């Protein structure tokens, strides 16, 4: 039987946020807790997660985790569902960014990004989707990036991983939505995090983590497949996708100083 996904509430279970030790993931975990959710927060930084849990007043549970380890993901999700509650909402935000150019490109850094950004997310999906489908309800948000819209300077592998996440979520929606599970993709512009602090170029309309988390969480309440912000910047990025290559390369080179 085909079902229309219902947006979950805190009464349906807990929220799981990966990459929750800093930046956008941390802000999302805190925002969901403020909204009444019991939150399981995961990342590799145990100390940061412990501090987050301690200041949450009991609303956030620290679940240290390396999502590149499938067995660890299975154990973590089982622990969350036993101790915190069924995962009704998952925000799969964990990822990394290693800037590179054609002259610094190397397979070691590439593999690091592919393993965490793509395979880590796939591990999480592999574990949480069957339970949600069996319950006939749930919500998954996959955090990608507008960097996945088109190839940009200094982000060949990062952009490729985020493009892959967009395609992954698009494809999974065909099977999840009829089963009652909502999947959405999050494509932020620049958000101030330790990752964007690596950039040595101007970042138009860069948002603070709390403001970005507000946009993300508000988007989870809507039926839109894609949640993207800030609107002025992401509108421009969407337009780049339709430009012919000569125009695209000329505009991006001029705007970023890339050659």
């Amino acid at each position: 039987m085909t079902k229309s996904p219902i947006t979950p509430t805190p009464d349906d279970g807990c929220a799981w946020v990966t990459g929750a030790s800093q930046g956008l993931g941390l802000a999302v975990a805190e925002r969901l807790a403020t909204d009444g959710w019991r939150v399981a927060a995961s990342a590799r930084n145990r100390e940061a997660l412990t501090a987050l849990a301690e200041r949450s007043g009991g609303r956030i549970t620290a679940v240290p985790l390396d999502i590149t380890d499938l067995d660890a993901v299975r154990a973590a999700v089982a622990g969350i569902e036993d101790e915190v509650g069924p995962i009704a909402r998952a925000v799969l935000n964990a990822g990394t960014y290693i800037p590179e150019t054609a002259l610094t490109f190397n397979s070691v850094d590439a593999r690091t990004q592919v393993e965490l950004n793509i395979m880590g997310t796939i591990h999480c999906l592999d574990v949480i989707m069957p339970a949600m489908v069996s319950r006939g309800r749930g919500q998954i948000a996959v955090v990608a990036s507008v960097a996945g819209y088109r190839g940009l300077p200094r982000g060949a592998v990062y952009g490729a991983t985020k493009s892959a996440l967009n395609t992954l979520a698009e494809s999974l929606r065909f099977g999840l939505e009829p089963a009652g599970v909502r999947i959405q993709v999050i494509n932020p512009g620049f958000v101030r995090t330790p990752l964007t602090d690596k950039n040595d170029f101007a970042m138009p309309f860069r948002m603070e983590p709390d403001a970005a988390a507000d946009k993300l969480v508000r988007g989870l309440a809507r039926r839109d497949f894609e949640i993207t912000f800030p609107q002025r910047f992401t509108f421009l990025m969407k337009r780049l996708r339709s430009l012919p290559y000569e125009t695209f390369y000329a505009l991006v080179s001029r705007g970023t100083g890339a050659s």
Side-chain angles (χ1 to χ4, degrees):
M1 178 183 298
T2 299
K3 300 180 181 180
S4 178
I6 299 171
T7 301
T9 71
D11 291 335
D12 296 314
C14 71
W16 182 36
V17 182
T18 66
S21 63
Q22 62 184 8
L24 180 59
L26 185 153
V28 168
E30 292 183 320
R31 169 59 191 270
L32 290 172
T34 299
D35 288 350
W37 284 87
R38 290 165 293 149
V39 179
S42 289
R44 289 177 288 191
N45 190 327
R46 182 181 298 271
E47 292 75 16
L49 289 181
T50 299
L52 171 63
E54 287 177 349
R55 64 176 180 267
S56 73
R59 300 298 307 181
I60 298 176
T61 300
V63 184
L65 173 65
D66 179 356
I67 64 169
T68 66
D69 183 338
L70 177 57
D71 288 337
V73 174
R74 288 178 175 142
V77 169
I80 291 168
E81 299 229 331
D82 285 343
E83 299 171 18
V84 187
I87 297 173
R89 171 178 282 178
V91 180
L92 305 182
N93 168 74
T96 193
Y97 163 55
I98 304 174
E100 85 282 295
T101 68
L103 301 181
T104 62
F105 185 93
N106 66 88
S107 60
V108 174
D109 287 345
R111 181 177 293 277
T112 296
Q113 294 176 88
V114 169
E115 288 293 332
L116 180 54
N117 298 0
I118 300 178
M119 287 309 303
T121 301
I122 287 174
H123 290 162
C124 296
L125 290 167
D126 181 14
V127 177
I128 63 174
M129 285 195 301
M132 288 186 176
V133 169
S134 68
R135 290 193 287 260
R137 63 191 305 148
Q139 182 178 25
I140 301 168
V142 175
V143 179
S145 169
V146 295
Y149 285 171
R150 202 154 185 182
L152 299 172
R154 306 179 185 88
V157 178
Y158 178 77
T161 65
K162 296 303 184 176
S163 179
L165 293 181
N166 271 278
T167 302
L168 179 67
E170 287 173 357
S171 181
L172 290 174
R173 186 177 186 273
F174 287 104
L176 289 176
E177 291 272 321
V181 179
R182 177 170 299 154
I183 187 167
Q184 295 164 288
V185 67
I186 317 296
N187 282 316
F190 294 112
V191 178
R192 185 182 59 78
T193 70
L195 296 182
T196 57
D197 287 344
K198 299 177 182 181
N199 292 332
D200 59 359
F201 54 85
M203 291 173 275
F205 308 109
R206 185 168 68 163
M207 300 180 71
E208 292 299 309
D210 287 345
D214 179 70
K215 294 288 187 182
L216 190 157
V217 173
R218 286 178 182 270
L220 296 178
R222 299 193 298 268
R223 295 188 58 84
D224 302 330
F225 171 71
E226 183 186 34
I227 302 167
T228 184
F229 49 84
Q231 292 298 323
R232 287 179 294 174
F233 181 65
T234 56
F235 174 82
L236 295 174
M237 293 298 295
K238 287 176 182 289
R239 300 288 76 76
L240 285 178
R241 290 190 293 186
S242 62
L243 294 177
Y245 279 112
E246 287 189 6
T247 306
F248 164 75
Y249 281 119
L251 284 174
V252 174
S253 295
R254 185 162 64 244
T256 63
S259 59

